[in-house]
């Protein structure tokens, strides 16, 4: 019996090649897209999920009450981790974590590598596999170093390097370290990105800052004991917070801040490490948003739904050709269940074939997909028992719903009705119309989302940031010489090059540089009885000229004024925070006992990402503040020659140091990577959804034309033209597309508006986005439907 079902199913599918081909094509594309999007979604959700203790691992942060409102901060003082572990019950392990790029030297080889300062507990908390060396206490001694296999290969040319030594530049001085452990290369789906790790005790001024609770420059990981509730721990830690951060709390009370609902001015919070990848700053607080991976997964599922709706509609359209077959089989005694199994078997065959082709297609385009969307996810991430079981369950559900409905509809036809070749679809049209409206609502929703995403991306890429990002080359000053000495030598090397317009330096990079690093510095001080916090930027002379920053009042730093080393330039937001109508010449105690004079006020510019408000900023040329990056403004149309000249000059100054330069406009562009990736994915999903919707619409037009063949023939005989027939056949479909537009528009407005709220600088939602999406969908529908009536074979039978 089963063999007969398969044989008949195969014959019927081969007999109607158009139906079979269109369905397999649409479903294969849908399965391939859904598989790839699911991999991308699962990869995003898998960040730090592989740690054995992931449910007990947290990153600590504080929510502080300020006069302006609550604000979350993650940087902690050096004394925080050991004191927390000692004084607050429930902490099993705690580790400090500070990251930076440092010079590494082995013989004549010099490398700029990602160095992390840690505590020993770190390797007990996190499940990074160790290849060689000590599994417990690998940072037992201050001169111990843990390296990854990739780093070991870079430095030594091999991986088993236990006991070997090399130098690391720490605090401006090269110090010898001995390898005690080699880690397997870290997976891509972790937030920690270390090449080598040394003890936290090696941080500059460690002993001096160990009892200082005001200096904060790292974050703290905590692993709670089993059975300790997070909320209870946070509550128990309040005494610890009130004791060690009394100064902050007193300042908040003095400045007029309002306590939180629990009556506290500062509260320690814990966030799961599996959530940290999804944190965004909104209204100065951390907000976990996993909408991005779920949106990607949702698009994949919507594409499957659209393809399944197509299958249902096309199966119904095809049924008019099989009415006599159904009638004959019922006359010969076939039961409804047998007919149902027969038609359902054909559906299962098509779905399974499509799933296999979709899987092969996704394997074929996996590499281009990963490169295009910058997702290092692999198929291995979804090849596990639970994922395979989930896939089989989804497949069974889809075939049962999408294949079962047409099978049930056809098997329920009456024998006489079937033999007469009449298919009464009046009652079923409502369901098909609903499916079609649903299908086009999804397509309009995705098209609208795509238009809004592209417009927001275009807005951010072309927004006036307040500085000139063009023709500026930046690179890390990663040599053995001090940064200021390197800048001086660089000016000497390039002074005769007419293509070099300006040279300057800073302790931070605008955007994200070629190494992928970015840093922020903040400092707090007391000013006229109030606590002031500002972002701080150490620069060299000519920084303002190099970036074409706009001075609102005052002047730039000048080498001819010796006192400028104790001068500051602030931005408008900082001037507002100081509450000074005339900020020039005001003295600020920003350097402890040192006081700096304000000599200029800059117009606000975006020195951080565009999803953040412009924060207060203070700029100094104090030679005691370190610099880490060189900025060079080059003449227009000389980028290539200038780049080569700068590389050559740097090689003369630091012959063993790596030259990792990038253009500033590229660095800024890197900050939009997530938006670009999201926009590209939704655009691709929208195109696929539109194509599949058109296939479904085409199938519907086949059904209608088949049902109205005689009517069309009569109209042609009496002189009806193609236009009249087209209008006749498209009218009902266009009404359905119109209904889909009415349903999809408010939904699209809600979701796009919610997404735009993530950006401080954003476009305004215009009605034209929705009208354009509707008109585009309408035009595509008209073209698709009009194709079928133009065929000349309609006749009266």
């Amino acid at each position: 019996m089963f063999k007969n079902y398969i044989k008949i199913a195969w014959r019927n599918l081969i007999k109607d090649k158009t139906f079979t081909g269109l369905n397999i094509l649409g479903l294969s594309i849908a399965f391939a897209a859904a598989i790839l999007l699911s991999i991308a979604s699962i990869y995003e959700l898998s960040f730090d999920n592989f740690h054995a203790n992931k449910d007990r691992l947290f990153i600590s942060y504080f929510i502080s009450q300020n006069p302006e409102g609550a604000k979350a901060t993650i940087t902690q003082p050096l004394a925080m981790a050991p004191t927390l572990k000692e004084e607050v019950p429930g902490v099993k392990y705690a580790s400090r974590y500070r990251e930076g790029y440092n010079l590494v030297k082995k013989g004549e080889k010099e490398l700029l590598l990602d160095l992390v300062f840690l505590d020993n507990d770190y390797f007990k908390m996190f499940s990074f596999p160790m290849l060689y060396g000590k599994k417990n206490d690998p940072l037992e001694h201050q001169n111990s170093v843990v390296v990854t296999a990739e780093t070991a290969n870079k430095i030594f040319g091999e991986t088993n390097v236990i006991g070997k030594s090399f130098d690391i530049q720490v605090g401006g001085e090269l110090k010898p370290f001995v390898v005690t452990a080699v880690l397997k290369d870290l997976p891509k789906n972790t937030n920690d990105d270390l090449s080598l790790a040394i003890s936290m005790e090696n941080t500059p001024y460690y002993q001096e800052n160990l009892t200082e609770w005001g200096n904060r420059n790292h974050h703290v990981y905590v692993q709670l004991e089993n059975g300790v509730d997070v909320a209870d721990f946070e509550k128990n830690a309040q005494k610890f917070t009130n004791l060690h951060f009394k100064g902050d709390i007193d300042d908040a009370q003095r400045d007029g801040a309002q306590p939180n609902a629990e009556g506290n001015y500062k509260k320690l919070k814990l966030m799961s490490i599996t959530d940290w990848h999804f944190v965004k700053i909104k209204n100065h607080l951390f907000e976990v948003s996993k909408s991005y991976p779920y949106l990607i997964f949702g698009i994949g599922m919507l594409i499957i739904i659209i393809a399944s709706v197509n299958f249902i509609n096309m199966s119904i359209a095809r049924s008019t050709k099989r009415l006599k077959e159904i009638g004959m089989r019922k006359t010969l005694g076939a039961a409804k269940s047998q007919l149902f199994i027969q038609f359902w078997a054909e559906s299962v065959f098509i779905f399974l074939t499509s799933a296999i082709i979709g899987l092969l297609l996704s394997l074929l385009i996996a590499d281009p997909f990963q490169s295009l969307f910058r997702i290092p996810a692999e198929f291995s991430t979804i090849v596990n028992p639970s994922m395979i079981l989930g896939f089989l369950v989804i497949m069974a559900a889809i075939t049962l719903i999408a294949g079962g409905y047409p099978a049930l509809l056809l098997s329920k036809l009456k024998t006489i009705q079937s033999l007469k070749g009449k298919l009464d679809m009046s009652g079923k049209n409502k369901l098909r119309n609903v499916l079609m409206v649903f299908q086009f609502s999804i397509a309009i929703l995705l098209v609208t989302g795509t238009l809004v995403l592209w417009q927001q991306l275009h807005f951010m890429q072309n927004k006036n940031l307040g500085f000139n990002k063009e023709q500026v080359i930046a690179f890390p000053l990663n040599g053995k010489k001090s940064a200021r000495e390197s800048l001086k030598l660089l000016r000497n090397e390039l002074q005769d090059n007419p293509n070099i317009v300006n040279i300057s330096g800073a302790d931070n990079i605008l955007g994200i540089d070629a190494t992928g690093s970015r840093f922020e510095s903040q400092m707090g001080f007391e000013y006229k009885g109030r606590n002031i916090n500002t972002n701080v930027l150490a620069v060299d002379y000519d920084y303002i000229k190099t970036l074409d920053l706009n001075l609102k009042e005052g002047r730039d730093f000048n080498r001819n004024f010796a006192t400028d080393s104790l001068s500051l330039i602030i931005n408008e937001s900082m001037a507002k925070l100081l509450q000074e109508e005339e900020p020039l010449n005001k003295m600020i105690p920003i350097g402890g006992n040192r006081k700096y004079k304000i000599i200029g006020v800059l117009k606000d510019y975006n020195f951080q990402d565009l999803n953040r408000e412009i924060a207060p900023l203070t700029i100094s040329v104090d030679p005691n503040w370190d610099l880490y990056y060189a900025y060079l403004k080059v003449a227009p149309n000389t980028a290539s020659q200038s780049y080569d000249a700068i590389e050559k000059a740097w090689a003369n100054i630091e012959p063993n140091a790596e030259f990792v330069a990038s253009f500033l406009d590229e660095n800024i562009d890197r900050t939009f990577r997530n938006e670009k990736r999201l926009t590209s994915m939704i655009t691709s999903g929208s195109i696929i959804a539109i194509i599949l919707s058109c296939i479904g619409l085409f199938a519907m037009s086949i059904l209608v034309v088949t049902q109205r063949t005689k009517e069309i023939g009569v109209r042609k005989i009496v002189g009806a033209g193609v236009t009249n027939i087209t209008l006749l056949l498209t009218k009902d479909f266009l009404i359905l597309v119109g209904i889909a537009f009415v349903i999809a528009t408010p939904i699209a407005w809600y979701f796009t508006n919610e997404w735009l709220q993530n950006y401080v600088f954003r476009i305004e939602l215009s009605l034209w986005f929705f009208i354009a999406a509707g008109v585009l969908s309408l035009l595509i529908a008209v073209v698709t439907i009009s194709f079928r009536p133009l065929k000349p074979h309609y006749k009266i039978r």
Side-chain angles (χ1 to χ4, degrees):
M1 181 65 76
F2 181 74
K3 187 178 178 182
N4 286 336
Y5 285 138
I6 298 296
K7 188 186 291 183
I8 295 172
W10 173 253
R11 286 174 179 170
N12 281 321
L13 294 175
I14 291 296
K15 183 179 177 183
D16 197 343
K17 295 184 177 63
T18 303
F19 164 80
T20 307
L22 283 175
N23 265 321
I24 290 180
L25 174 67
L27 285 168
S28 299
I29 294 172
F31 275 119
I35 289 171
L36 291 174
L37 291 175
S38 298
I39 290 174
S41 173
I42 291 168
Y43 168 76
E44 288 292 330
L45 290 170
S46 70
F47 264 71
D48 284 314
N49 252 316
F50 54 87
H51 296 295
N53 303 312
K54 63 179 181 181
D55 295 333
R56 315 302 302 159
L57 288 174
F58 303 90
I59 190 166
S60 65
Y61 67 100
F62 280 101
I63 295 182
S64 304
Q65 302 300 123
N66 297 317
E68 298 81 19
K71 183 178 181 181
T73 54
I74 192 171
T75 52
Q76 310 290 9
L78 276 174
M80 164 88 174
T83 312
L84 185 73
K85 188 176 177 182
E86 183 181 335
E87 296 183 2
V88 182
V91 178
K92 186 172 185 178
Y93 300 118
S95 175
R96 297 164 287 190
Y97 185 99
R98 180 180 174 181
E99 189 175 356
Y101 277 83
N102 286 57
L103 179 70
V104 171
K105 188 172 186 297
K106 175 63 179 174
E108 293 301 316
K109 186 185 293 184
E110 293 182 2
L111 299 166
L112 184 67
L113 295 175
D114 192 6
L115 173 68
V116 173
F117 298 87
L118 297 171
D119 290 307
N120 247 327
D121 278 358
Y122 183 85
F123 296 101
K124 299 171 186 170
M125 300 163 71
F126 293 90
S127 308
F128 295 123
M130 204 164 277
L131 291 177
Y132 310 106
K134 288 186 172 183
K135 292 191 176 180
N136 293 318
D137 302 330
L139 299 180
E140 183 180 4
H141 304 292
Q142 193 169 342
N143 68 338
S144 300
V145 60
V146 176
V147 300
T148 63
E150 183 183 6
T151 304
N153 260 321
K154 282 183 181 177
I155 299 173
F156 299 99
E158 57 180 324
T159 55
N160 192 354
V161 293
I162 300 299
K164 296 189 176 182
S165 65
F166 59 94
D167 296 335
I168 303 174
Q169 190 176 46
V170 180
E173 182 184 352
L174 280 171
K175 296 179 179 177
F177 286 84
V178 178
V179 179
T180 54
V182 179
L183 293 177
K184 189 177 178 182
D185 289 339
L186 269 57
K188 301 290 184 187
N189 55 343
T190 179
N191 286 305
D192 291 351
D193 184 22
L194 60 91
S195 299
L196 58 161
I198 59 176
S199 169
M200 195 72 185
E201 295 178 8
N202 290 290
T203 53
Y205 309 108
Y206 178 81
Q207 290 299 331
E208 293 85 338
N209 289 323
L210 195 54
T211 55
E212 174 57 57
W213 289 78
N215 291 341
R216 298 155 196 178
N217 55 15
H218 63 275
H219 58 260
V220 170
Y221 288 118
V222 171
Q223 180 178 336
L224 295 183
E225 298 275 6
N226 290 334
V228 176
D229 183 72
V230 175
D232 290 342
F233 175 82
E234 291 174 348
K235 188 177 179 182
N236 294 335
Q238 193 58 51
K239 185 179 177 183
F240 163 88
T241 304
N242 293 341
L243 174 64
H244 296 290
F245 295 91
K246 187 173 184 305
D248 292 354
I249 294 170
D250 289 344
D251 289 345
Q253 290 175 321
R254 180 200 60 197
D255 296 342
Q258 297 299 311
N260 62 17
E262 299 167 356
N264 299 312
Y265 288 86
K266 197 175 187 77
K267 184 174 179 62
L268 177 66
K269 302 284 291 181
L270 297 182
M271 179 178 291
S272 171
I273 58 160
T274 56
D275 287 338
W276 184 240
H277 180 65
F278 306 99
V279 163
K280 292 182 177 178
I281 299 175
K282 191 172 184 180
N283 297 326
H284 305 295
L285 295 175
F286 296 146
E287 182 180 281
V288 177
S289 172
K290 297 183 179 180
S291 57
Y292 170 57
Y294 287 127
L295 180 61
I296 296 172
F297 183 78
I299 291 173
M301 293 302 103
L302 288 177
I303 290 172
I304 289 279
I305 290 173
I306 288 175
S308 299
V309 169
N310 283 349
F311 179 82
I312 294 173
N313 288 337
M314 292 174 76
S315 296
I316 295 171
R318 178 176 172 252
S319 64
T320 57
K321 297 181 179 179
R322 301 184 66 179
L323 292 178
K324 290 185 179 177
E325 174 198 341
I326 296 169
M328 287 299 294
R329 295 183 66 176
K330 284 202 168 187
T331 303
L332 294 173
K336 286 182 181 178
S337 58
Q338 291 174 313
L339 289 172
F340 175 84
I341 293 173
Q342 177 62 55
F343 292 121
W344 187 55
E346 294 176 16
S347 305
V348 171
F349 180 82
I350 288 178
F351 270 86
L352 283 178
T353 304
S354 303
I356 293 170
I357 294 174
L359 180 62
L360 294 174
L361 190 62
S362 59
L363 282 167
L364 192 66
I365 61 175
D367 288 341
F369 174 82
Q370 291 174 11
S371 301
L372 180 64
F373 299 116
R374 298 176 182 275
I375 295 176
E378 298 176 353
F379 270 85
S380 57
T381 58
I382 62 168
V383 181
N384 58 64
S386 58
M387 290 301 299
I388 293 173
L389 180 63
F391 178 76
L392 293 177
V393 169
I394 291 174
M395 271 291 299
I398 291 173
T399 54
L400 196 61
I401 295 171
Y405 171 70
L408 184 64
L409 179 66
L410 295 176
S411 64
K412 288 174 67 177
L413 287 175
K414 295 177 181 177
T415 307
I416 299 299
Q417 182 187 6
S418 304
L419 289 172
K420 288 183 177 179
K422 291 182 178 179
L423 181 60
D424 181 11
M425 305 299 291
S426 55
K428 312 305 183 289
N429 281 342
K430 291 180 182 176
L431 177 60
R432 292 200 313 273
N433 290 344
V434 168
L435 291 175
M436 186 178 163
V437 168
F438 177 68
Q439 193 178 44
F440 263 87
S441 296
I442 294 171
I444 293 171
L445 183 67
L446 291 175
V447 171
T448 307
T450 301
L451 294 175
V452 173
L453 283 169
W454 276 111
Q455 193 60 30
Q456 174 65 18
L457 183 62
H458 176 77
F459 169 78
M460 291 193 296
Q461 288 178 319
N462 294 281
K463 182 184 180 300
N464 182 2
L465 300 174
F467 62 91
N468 190 352
K469 61 184 179 181
E470 307 297 333
Q471 284 92 47
V472 178
I473 297 173
F475 66 93
L477 298 164
N478 54 355
K480 288 182 293 185
K481 298 182 178 66
S482 73
R484 293 186 186 276
E485 183 186 358
S486 296
L487 283 173
K488 184 179 177 181
L489 294 172
L490 200 61
R491 287 191 177 95
N492 292 336
E493 287 277 339
L494 297 169
Q495 60 182 344
D496 296 328
N497 190 327
N499 294 333
I500 308 300
V501 180
N502 280 314
I503 299 176
S504 186
D507 70 341
N508 209 336
I509 190 71
L510 286 165
I512 302 175
D513 74 350
T515 64
S517 62
R518 58 194 317 189
F519 309 98
E520 288 184 5
S521 300
Q522 294 185 347
M523 196 173 285
F525 60 92
E526 190 173 310
Y527 182 74
K528 293 187 175 179
R530 293 185 300 117
N531 204 31
I532 302 290
N533 288 299
T534 176
N535 289 272
V536 179
L537 184 65
V539 302
D540 198 13
Y541 292 96
D542 300 328
Y543 183 79
I544 291 176
K545 281 195 292 186
T546 303
L547 295 178
D548 291 334
L549 297 172
N550 296 312
L551 270 169
K552 182 182 178 185
E553 54 184 314
R555 64 174 178 82
D556 193 357
F557 297 114
N558 192 322
R559 291 183 180 83
N560 297 323
F561 296 158
T563 56
D564 272 8
S565 61
L566 289 176
S567 299
L568 298 173
I569 292 176
I570 61 175
N571 67 352
E572 291 176 298
S573 296
M574 181 62 182
K576 193 180 296 181
L577 184 62
L578 292 175
Q579 298 179 1
E580 293 287 359
E581 293 184 5
E582 300 291 340
L584 293 182
N585 300 316
K586 294 291 186 295
M587 303 299 289
I588 292 181
I590 199 168
N593 295 326
R594 283 184 167 184
K595 287 193 174 183
Y596 294 75
K597 185 170 75 174
I598 298 173
I599 62 169
V601 178
L602 285 172
K603 287 190 175 179
D604 279 343
Y605 70 99
N606 293 95
F607 63 94
Q608 296 170 313
D609 291 353
L610 281 179
N611 58 358
R612 300 168 68 173
E613 295 176 352
I614 297 178
L617 177 67
T618 303
I619 302 176
S620 168
V621 290
D622 189 333
N624 294 311
W625 294 9
D626 289 334
L627 304 178
Y628 301 110
Y629 290 91
Y631 287 77
L632 293 94
K633 180 85 171 180
V634 303
N637 305 317
T638 64
S640 180
Q641 308 95 294
S642 300
Y643 186 95
D644 293 341
I646 295 168
E647 184 176 15
K648 185 179 177 183
W650 184 242
N652 291 334
I653 297 167
E654 291 284 0
N656 297 319
E658 192 177 2
F659 182 67
V660 196
S662 56
F663 287 89
L664 203 54
D665 55 345
E666 296 173 347
N667 293 350
I668 300 299
D669 207 46
R670 286 190 187 96
T671 62
F672 307 134
R673 282 184 298 194
N674 279 340
E675 285 77 12
K676 279 185 173 179
R677 191 166 53 175
L678 182 62
T679 304
S680 301
M681 279 194 181
I682 292 187
T683 302
S684 305
S686 300
I687 292 171
I688 293 173
I690 285 287
I691 292 173
L692 294 178
S693 298
C694 288
I695 292 175
L697 194 59
F698 182 71
M700 288 290 288
S701 70
I702 293 175
L703 174 63
V704 171
V705 170
T706 303
Q707 288 176 321
R708 302 175 71 173
T709 299
K710 290 182 179 178
E711 178 190 347
I712 295 169
V714 171
R715 287 179 181 274
K716 279 192 169 184
I717 289 172
V718 297
V722 172
T723 305
N724 291 334
I725 295 175
T726 301
L727 286 174
L728 176 71
L729 295 175
T730 57
K731 185 181 66 177
D732 292 341
F733 292 115
L734 298 186
I735 290 173
L736 295 178
V737 175
I739 294 172
F741 172 74
V742 171
I743 293 173
T745 297
I747 299 172
W749 180 88
Y750 174 78
F751 283 111
T752 51
N753 186 59
E754 284 292 306
W755 179 74
L756 286 172
Q757 298 309 310
N758 291 319
Y759 298 92
V760 176
F761 303 95
R762 57 181 179 266
I763 59 171
E764 291 295 326
L765 272 183
S766 165
L767 188 61
W768 289 108
F769 288 120
F770 307 100
I771 292 175
V775 170
L776 183 63
S777 302
L778 206 61
L779 286 175
I780 292 172
V782 168
V783 171
T784 305
I785 299 166
S786 302
F787 176 75
R788 186 67 183 179
L790 295 177
K791 297 292 183 183
H793 64 275
Y794 302 103
K795 59 186 180 182
I796 302 174
R797 292 177 182 172

